[in-house]
């Protein structure tokens, strides 16, 4: 809905950044970083998603209401991860419970 | 009362099939949804009938246990995803929301039509799954039943749910944008009808929750088809993760079903007591509170699934919180009825039924939020009774109440009130006879999802099956007189109930563009006696 017209160069730049992110993901798969494997992969994926949302979806130039809508989506994702993790992190706390 | 003649309206503005199938009119799309969901309601009811017939005797003598598994699975899938979730939003919501905000249509009419086609496509997948052998995992699709144990049509049915989810998301998006952007001049947020508030809250859940069920079903398909380890421990997955993801959507989905019904009841209670609601802001915000807090409680479905005790504790406490906004609504309806000029028309009978049955359903939910008690009744008929009190006693009573209340507006015709009262009473009696014995037999230990049961439980099951027959009749009667009314009943006029609200100011049935001139709103709906509520409060 935003009336903002972005220059084509921006789209190409974001596209190249996304390709670079994909390359980085593939490259990272060749290194075993132990527990950091998932963290690194998810971090790259998150940055790519952010680029798509901000530039391809024009959220950067959108109204505050759109920002609230986008932010609430991420907040809800945090709720899902956060409360699910209360289960995974506390499974071993009581002796004798399933873990 | 002045009875206006039926002029040019959305029903007689074009008769060809094309004029319906390519319509962008929210009212016609509501009718398309009404017809589709009624079809699915009777399909789901047919499965319920077979389930109840099988349970008439303790032995599995009518169908084999494998078939029984498919019957209750298809009953659940059809009723939850193809009837209850779209029921009020897609029909009454679609029809009324633009009118209630003083708009000519929803914000995105084409997307509205698209959402119906998506719904039909999703429904087609489910019908194909049913026709080609069905699914036997339960409507919950728990891993590992769905990922590795079942040989039934899990992916086809799952795809049906995945596709239909988009219809839900698009409807929610349309409602939210319409409420924000298309309100008539003077129609501030706190002048909105409470039905609009409930639709808004429901839409939030649809948008924020539905993508999660879509992805969850997709993950089941991925694990089933490609053997990627997501839920299977042997492949590095976790079956309880499925339950977390599934219930993250499916518990709030209960509020997708009940919040619209609550909105309907708020409207009916005001119209048939001739009072504006007691505590408008509390009732409005309680809808939002239910939508938000409803997302924090899903773990109460996992108390005995292997979820950690501490997580269970957190979810237990949070589940108690959701009772507060629900109770706010019940108390405020009661306070509205108190000293009101109550008229006993059929919509109000459904509203009374809703308030009583939802209260029982809600309070037994508190039993289930209590970890110790839940261990005793988990996966018993107590659960079945509880959620049917909410979904059938609550959501369907609200849906029927709303259909009776707005039928004159939708069709321009009244219906035989005597029959309507008889049907409302039949539904109430049939419902209680069906489901109250299930509380008892569940508490005594009868597990859900078995074709066979111990002989000492038979008396409760016979009562239940007898009740289901009465309930079935209670649902068929309105269908008959509604169809009859289309040609034979007297014209309704603009406002047959003497209610207040934008929808009652326009002709019945409404013209295609709803309002010839955009309305200017100067007060909230149901302003029968503004000073009266203040009088009660002081």
């Amino acid at each position: 809905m935003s009336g903002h017209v972005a220059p084509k160069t921006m789209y190409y730049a974001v596209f190249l950044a996304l390709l670079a992110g994909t390359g980085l993901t593939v490259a990272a798969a060749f290194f075993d970083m132990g527990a950091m494997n998932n963290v690194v992969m998810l971090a790259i994926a998150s940055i790519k998603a952010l680029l798509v949302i901000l530039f391809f979806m024009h959220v950067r130039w959108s109204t505050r209401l759109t920002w609230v809508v986008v932010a609430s989506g991420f907040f809800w994702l945090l709720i899902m991860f956060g409360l699910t993790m209360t289960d995974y992190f506390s499974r071993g706390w009581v002796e004798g419970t399933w873990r | 009362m002045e009875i206006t003649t039926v002029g040019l309206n959305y029903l007689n503005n074009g008769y060809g099939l094309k004029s319906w199938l390519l319509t962008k009119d929210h009212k016609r799309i509501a009718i398309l949804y009404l017809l589709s969901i009624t079809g699915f309601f009777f399909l789901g009811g047919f499965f319920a009938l077979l389930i109840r017939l099988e349970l008439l005797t303790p032995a599995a003598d009518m169908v084999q246990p494998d078939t029984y598994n498919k019957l209750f699975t298809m009953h659940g899938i059809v009723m939850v995803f193809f009837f209850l979730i779209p029921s009020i939003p897609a029909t009454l919501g679609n029809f009324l929301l633009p009118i209630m905000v003083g708009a000519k249509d929803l914000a995105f009419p084409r997307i509205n039509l698209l959402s119906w086609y998506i719904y039909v496509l999703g429904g087609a997948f489910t019908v194909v799954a049913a026709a080609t052998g069905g699914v036997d995992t339960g409507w919950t699709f728990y891993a590992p039943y769905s990922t590795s144990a079942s040989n039934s049509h899990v992916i086809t049915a799952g795809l049906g749910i995945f596709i239909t989810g988009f219809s839900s998301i698009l409807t929610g998006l349309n409602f939210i944008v319409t409420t924000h952007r298309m309100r008539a001049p003077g129609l501030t947020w706190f002048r909105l009808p409470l039905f609009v508030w409930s639709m808004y809250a429901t839409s939030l859940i649809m948008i924020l929750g539905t993508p999660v069920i879509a992805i969850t079903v997709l993950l089941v398909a991925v694990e089933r088809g490609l053997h990627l380890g997501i839920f299977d421990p042997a492949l590095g997955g976790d079956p309880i993760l499925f339950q977390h993801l599934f219930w993250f959507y499916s518990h709030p989905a209960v509020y997708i079903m009940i919040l619209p019904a609550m909105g309907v009841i708020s409207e009916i209670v005001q119209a048939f007591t001739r009072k504006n609601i007691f505590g408008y802001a509390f009732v409005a915000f309680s809808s939002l509170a239910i939508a938000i807090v409803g997302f924090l409680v899903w773990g109460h479905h996992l108390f005995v699934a292997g979820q950690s005790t501490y997580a269970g504790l957190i979810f237990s406490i949070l589940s108690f919180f959701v009772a507060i906004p629900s109770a706010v609504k019940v108390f405020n309806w009661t306070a509205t009825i108190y000293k009101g000029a109550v008229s006993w028309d059929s919509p109000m009978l459904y509203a009374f039924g809703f308030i009583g049955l939802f209260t029982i359903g809600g309070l037994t939910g508190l039993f289930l939020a209590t970890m110790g008690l839940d261990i005793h009744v988990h996966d018993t008929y107590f659960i079945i009774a509880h959620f049917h009190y909410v979904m059938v006693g609550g959501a369907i009573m609200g849906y029927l109440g709303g259909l009776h209340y707005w039928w004159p507006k939708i069709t321009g015709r009244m219906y035989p009130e005597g029959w309507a009262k008889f049907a409302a009473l039949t539904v109430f009696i049939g419902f209680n006879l069906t489901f109250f014995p299930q509380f008892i037999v569940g508490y005594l230990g009868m597990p859900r999802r078995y074709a066979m049961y111990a002989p000492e439980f038979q008396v409760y099951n016979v009562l239940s099956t007898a009740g289901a027959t009465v309930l079935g009749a209670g649902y068929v009667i309105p269908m008959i007189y509604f169809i009859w009314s289309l040609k034979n009943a007297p014209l309704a006029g603009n406002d047959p109930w003497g209610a207040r609200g934008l929808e009652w100011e326009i002709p019945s049935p409404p013209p295609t563009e709803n309002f010839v001139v955009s309305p200017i709103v100067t007060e909230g709906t149901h302003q029968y006696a503004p000073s009266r509520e203040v009088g009660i409060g002081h």
Side-chain angles (χ1 to χ4, degrees), chain B residues 38-66:
Chain B
T38 304
F40 278 106
F41 177 66
F42 282 100
L43 180 64
F46 173 68
F47 291 127
L49 176 77
L50 295 178
I51 292 169
R52 285 313 326 162
L53 282 177
E54 168 52 50
L55 292 177
L56 205 49
T57 60
D61 38 18
M62 194 183 83
V63 293
Q64 293 298 308
D66 280 347

Side-chain angles (χ1 to χ4, degrees), chain B residues 88-89 193-199 201-202 254-270 277 283-284 286-291 322-331 333 351 354-355 358-359 362 390 393-399 402 406:
Chain B
I88 296 178
L194 287 163
F195 182 71
V196 176
W197 276 96
S198 76
M199 282 295 122
T202 307
V254 175
Y255 302 114
I256 295 181
M257 304 170 202
I258 201 71
L259 270 170
M262 289 170 158
V264 170
I265 300 307
S266 294
E267 296 296 321
I268 292 176
V269 163
Q270 293 177 90
I277 195 102
V283 178
S286 64
S287 291
L288 293 181
I290 288 171
V322 84
I324 297 170
S326 307
V328 164
K329 284 190 189 292
V330 172
F331 285 128
W333 292 324
F354 175 97
I355 295 172
F358 170 73
T359 302
V390 176
I396 300 186
M397 288 294 256
Y399 174 63
W406 284 297

Side-chain angles (χ1 to χ4, degrees), chain B residues 353-401:
Chain B
F354 175 97
I355 295 172
L357 299 179
F358 170 73
T359 302
I360 295 174
L363 288 176
T364 49
L366 293 179
F367 294 19
L368 302 173
T370 314
M371 289 173 78
L373 185 55
D374 184 69
I375 289 170
H376 175 65
V377 294
H378 186 86
D379 265 352
T380 68
Y381 264 82
F382 192 92
I383 304 284
I384 306 290
H386 155 71
F387 75 71
H388 280 85
Y389 263 78
V390 176
M391 293 181 186
V392 184
I396 300 186
M397 288 294 256
Y399 174 63
L400 285 175

Side-chain angles (χ1 to χ4, degrees), chain B residues 386-452:
Chain B
H386 155 71
F387 75 71
H388 280 85
Y389 263 78
V390 176
M391 293 181 186
V392 184
I396 300 186
M397 288 294 256
Y399 174 63
L400 285 175
L403 214 51
H404 282 80
Y405 178 47
W406 284 297
W407 187 259
K409 182 55 58 187
I410 295 170
T411 66
R413 302 266 181 181
M414 297 305 291
Y415 47 80
E417 177 62 19
W419 277 105
K421 282 181 179 161
F422 175 70
L425 209 61
T426 308
V427 167
F428 186 78
I429 292 168
F431 173 82
N432 281 297
L433 191 56
T434 308
F435 293 106
F436 199 80
Q438 295 183 8
F439 275 127
I440 302 167
V441 79
Y443 190 79
L444 292 173
M446 181 173 161
R448 67 191 285 198
R449 293 180 167 168
Y450 285 94
M452 290 175 276

Side-chain angles (χ1 to χ4, degrees), chain A residues 6-21:
Chain A
K8 271 187 187 172
T9 48
M10 184 211 76
Y11 289 105
Y12 289 128
V14 173
F15 178 61
L16 287 176
L18 291 174
L19 283 181

Side-chain angles (χ1 to χ4, degrees), chain B residues 169-503:
Chain B
I169 292 169
L170 293 179
T171 300
L173 180 78
N174 233 331
F175 285 3
I176 287 179
V177 176
T178 306
T179 311
H180 273 276
R181 304 301 297 261
M182 299 180 70
R183 281 174 286 124
L187 186 52
T188 58
W189 281 86
F190 289 103
R191 283 177 180 168
L192 283 173
L194 287 163
F195 182 71
V196 176
W197 276 96
S198 76
M199 282 295 122
Y200 186 84
T202 307
S203 303
L204 289 179
I205 307 176
M206 285 170 158
I207 288 183
L208 292 166
T210 313
V212 178
I213 188 74
I215 287 178
T216 309
V217 170
L218 209 59
L219 288 175
V220 166
V222 164
E223 177 157 322
R224 205 177 155 83
L226 306 175
H227 303 290
L228 287 178
I230 295 154
F231 306 123
D232 182 356
L235 300 171
D238 176 18
I240 300 172
L241 178 64
F242 175 87
Q243 298 187 29
H244 277 297
L245 295 175
F246 179 84
W247 288 113
F248 178 81
Y249 166 77
S250 296
H251 191 80
V254 175
Y255 302 114
I256 295 181
M257 304 170 202
I258 201 71
L259 270 170
M262 289 170 158
V264 170
I265 300 307
S266 294
E267 296 296 321
I268 292 176
V269 163
Q270 293 177 90
F272 292 94
T273 57
R274 287 292 185 272
K275 279 173 67 182
N276 46 356
I277 195 102
F278 179 83
Y280 174 95
F282 273 89
V283 178
F285 280 121
S286 64
S287 291
L288 293 181
I290 288 171
I292 293 167
V293 181
F295 270 104
L296 312 177
V297 304
W298 80 82
H300 65 229
H301 294 270
L302 282 70
F303 283 160
V304 300
Q307 175 185 248
S308 92
T309 313
Y310 286 95
L313 212 62
I314 292 169
F315 280 117
S316 174
I317 294 164
L318 289 170
S319 301
F320 278 98
F321 277 118
V322 84
I324 297 170
S326 307
V328 164
K329 284 190 189 292
V330 172
F331 285 128
N332 284 31
W333 292 324
T334 313
T336 308
I337 294 167
Y338 178 67
K339 288 191 177 175
V342 179
S343 53
W344 298 84
D345 294 297
S346 49
M348 191 61 187
L349 294 185
Y350 282 107
F352 276 123
F354 175 97
I355 295 172
L357 299 179
F358 170 73
T359 302
I360 295 174
L363 288 176
T364 49
L366 293 179
F367 294 19
L368 302 173
T370 314
M371 289 173 78
L373 185 55
D374 184 69
I375 289 170
H376 175 65
V377 294
H378 186 86
D379 265 352
T380 68
Y381 264 82
F382 192 92
I383 304 284
I384 306 290
H386 155 71
F387 75 71
H388 280 85
Y389 263 78
V390 176
M391 293 181 186
V392 184
I396 300 186
M397 288 294 256
Y399 174 63
L400 285 175
L403 214 51
H404 282 80
Y405 178 47
W406 284 297
W407 187 259
K409 182 55 58 187
I410 295 170
T411 66
R413 302 266 181 181
M414 297 305 291
Y415 47 80
E417 177 62 19
W419 277 105
K421 282 181 179 161
F422 175 70
L425 209 61
T426 308
V427 167
F428 186 78
I429 292 168
F431 173 82
N432 281 297
L433 191 56
T434 308
F435 293 106
F436 199 80
Q438 295 183 8
F439 275 127
I440 302 167
V441 79
Y443 190 79
L444 292 173
M446 181 173 161
R448 67 191 285 198
R449 293 180 167 168
Y450 285 94
M452 290 175 276
Y453 57 86
E456 63 262 33
F457 297 142
Q458 188 173 12
V459 63
Y460 301 102
N461 280 285
V462 170
L463 284 173
S464 215
T465 302
T469 316
V470 177
L471 185 59
Y475 289 144
V476 171
I477 296 168
M479 203 172 90
I480 295 170
Y481 62 69
F482 276 150
I483 293 172
W484 177 87
S485 77
L486 292 175
K487 280 207 180 289
N488 303 295
L491 294 175
N494 292 4
D495 186 7
W497 309 118
R500 301 270 172 84
L502 282 177
E503 79 268 33

